[in-house]
């Protein structure tokens, strides 16, 4: 009743007083203890927005790093499995004995310790062989421009030993790259080298001028410094794609020979 008589102003003044807690202790005087504001301002606060954002960023970075590490490890295992499978399959593991375009005997052991890009074709090829050799040369030149990478040896092996003797190979390779090595030999020697790399070839019928086309596999082969077949690149692969692939193989290479 008194509050009603005082009116609304009394309520506003009373609201400014902090509530007290009545504490009765047996055998003692009654105590009045001030309590905290009811507004909740004295409640403990959680982490601020900046702290939560920092925690989220650190957590996200950790997940990203873990994903990248797992992906790198997966790619490494895949490459090791591929190399081991190629070694066990014995693709291109056999030796060969041929002559280079200077008349010097060459065998597979001569290329040990080098990365090799190898192409099988013939000097009378009207278009495909020149195009593929030009692409091979572009790859070699791009890799040469990176001083941290080892030199890659380009090799051209004929599948037409009847026409591609030492002199013919010498005339042909000089138009592409100064380090391009041309290899030829007898029919038996060329056939053996082609079998080692699973290369198919077959001479077509001769025309009235005794000219003919040789049908053959079209691929650029990559050999690692162990002399093992590592990868191959068909006509659909561009020079840039081959460069990227060779660069990755070089970075991942680990010798598997004793």
């Amino acid at each position: 009743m008194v509050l009603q008589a005082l009116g609304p102003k009394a309520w506003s003044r009373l609201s400014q007083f902090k509530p007290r807690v009545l504490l009765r202790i047996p055998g003692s005087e009654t105590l009045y203890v001030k309590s905290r504001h009811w507004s909740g301002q004295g409640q403990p606060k959680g982490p601020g927005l900046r702290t939560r954002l920092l925690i989220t960023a650190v957590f996200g970075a950790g997940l990203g790093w873990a994903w990248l590490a797992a992906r790198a490890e997966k790619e490494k295992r895949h490459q090791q499995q591929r190399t081991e499978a190629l070694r066990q399959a014995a693709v291109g593991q056999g030796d060969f004995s041929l002559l280079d375009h200077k008349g010097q005997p060459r065998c597979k052991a001569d290329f040990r310790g080098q990365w090799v890009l190898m192409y099988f074709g013939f000097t009378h090829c009207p278009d495909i062989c020149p195009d593929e050799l030009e692409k091979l040369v572009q790859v070699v030149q791009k890799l040469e421009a990176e001083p941290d990478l080892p030199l890659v040896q380009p090799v051209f092996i004929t599948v037409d030993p009847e026409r591609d003797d030492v002199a013919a190979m010498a005339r042909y390779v000089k138009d592409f790259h100064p380090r391009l090595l041309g290899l030829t030999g007898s029919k038996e020697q060329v056939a053996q080298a082609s079998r080692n790399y699973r290369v198919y070839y077959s001479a077509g019928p001769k025309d009235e001028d005794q000219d003919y086309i040789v049908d053959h596999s079209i691929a650029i082969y990559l050999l690692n410094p162990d002399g093992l077949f590592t990868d191959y690149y068909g006509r659909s692969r561009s020079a840039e794609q081959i460069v990227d692939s060779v660069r990755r193989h070089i970075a991942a290479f680990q010798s598997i020979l004793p």
Side-chain angles (χ1 to χ4, degrees):
M1 296 297 292
V2 175
L3 293 177
Q4 291 178 355
L6 292 175
K9 293 183 178 180
W11 284 106
S12 62
R13 289 196 295 269
L14 286 174
S15 64
Q16 297 175 358
F17 291 97
K18 298 179 180 178
R20 298 171 183 265
V21 177
L22 183 62
L23 180 62
R24 296 180 182 274
I25 301 175
S28 304
E29 295 180 355
T30 300
L31 300 178
Y32 292 89
V33 182
K34 292 183 178 179
S35 67
R36 296 180 178 178
H37 290 285
W38 291 354
S39 63
Q41 294 178 357
Q43 297 296 327
K45 297 182 179 180
L49 177 60
R50 182 176 298 177
T51 302
R52 293 197 297 270
L53 291 175
L54 179 60
I55 293 174
T56 302
V58 171
F59 182 72
L63 288 178
W65 180 87
W67 180 81
L68 290 174
R71 181 182 178 184
E73 182 63 25
K74 181 179 179 180
E75 291 180 351
K76 181 179 179 181
R77 288 197 305 269
H78 176 73
Q79 182 58 41
Q80 291 174 341
Q81 292 170 357
R82 179 179 173 84
T83 301
E84 181 63 20
L86 290 171
R87 185 183 68 83
Q88 294 179 357
V91 179
Q93 308 312 312
D95 200 357
F96 57 82
S97 178
L98 298 169
L99 294 177
D100 66 23
H101 63 272
K102 297 180 180 180
Q104 300 298 315
R106 293 283 186 164
C107 64
K108 180 181 174 183
D110 295 332
F111 303 98
R112 182 69 55 83
Q114 302 178 66
W115 288 92
V116 175
L117 281 172
M118 180 182 296
Y119 180 77
F120 288 78
F122 63 108
T123 63
H124 287 71
C125 182
D127 47 20
I128 295 178
C129 291
D131 291 344
E132 290 301 291
L133 282 175
E134 188 63 37
K135 181 168 65 177
L136 185 153
V137 167
Q138 290 177 15
V139 172
V140 171
Q141 290 173 338
K142 290 178 182 294
L143 294 171
E144 285 176 338
E146 301 184 30
D148 294 337
L149 296 180
L151 288 178
V152 176
Q153 175 62 53
V155 174
F156 171 56
I157 299 179
T158 184
V159 292
D160 185 17
E162 182 176 344
R163 293 180 294 185
D164 292 342
D165 56 14
V166 170
M169 294 294 281
R171 289 192 300 269
Y172 192 72
V173 298
K174 68 181 179 64
D175 293 331
F176 291 96
H177 191 281
R179 291 195 298 109
L180 177 60
L181 192 66
L183 299 179
T184 186
S186 66
K187 289 184 179 180
E188 293 76 14
Q189 291 171 327
V190 169
Q192 180 63 43
S194 300
R195 282 193 298 269
N196 287 340
Y197 295 94
R198 307 293 193 269
V199 173
Y200 160 82
Y201 68 96
S202 177
K206 296 181 179 180
D207 59 20
E208 57 184 12
D209 297 324
Q210 299 302 301
D211 194 15
Y212 56 91
I213 296 296
V214 180
D215 185 25
H216 62 89
S217 305
I218 302 172
I220 296 173
Y221 298 86
L222 176 66
L223 277 65
N224 68 25
D226 286 347
L228 301 179
F229 170 84
T230 302
D231 214 334
Y232 71 94
Y233 311 103
R235 293 185 66 189
S236 62
R237 303 292 291 274
S238 67
E240 290 74 15
Q241 290 174 327
I242 299 176
V243 168
D244 290 340
S245 175
V246 174
R247 191 186 293 114
R248 289 194 300 269
H249 282 298
I250 292 175
F253 173 70
Q254 291 183 344
S255 178
I256 61 175
L257 295 182

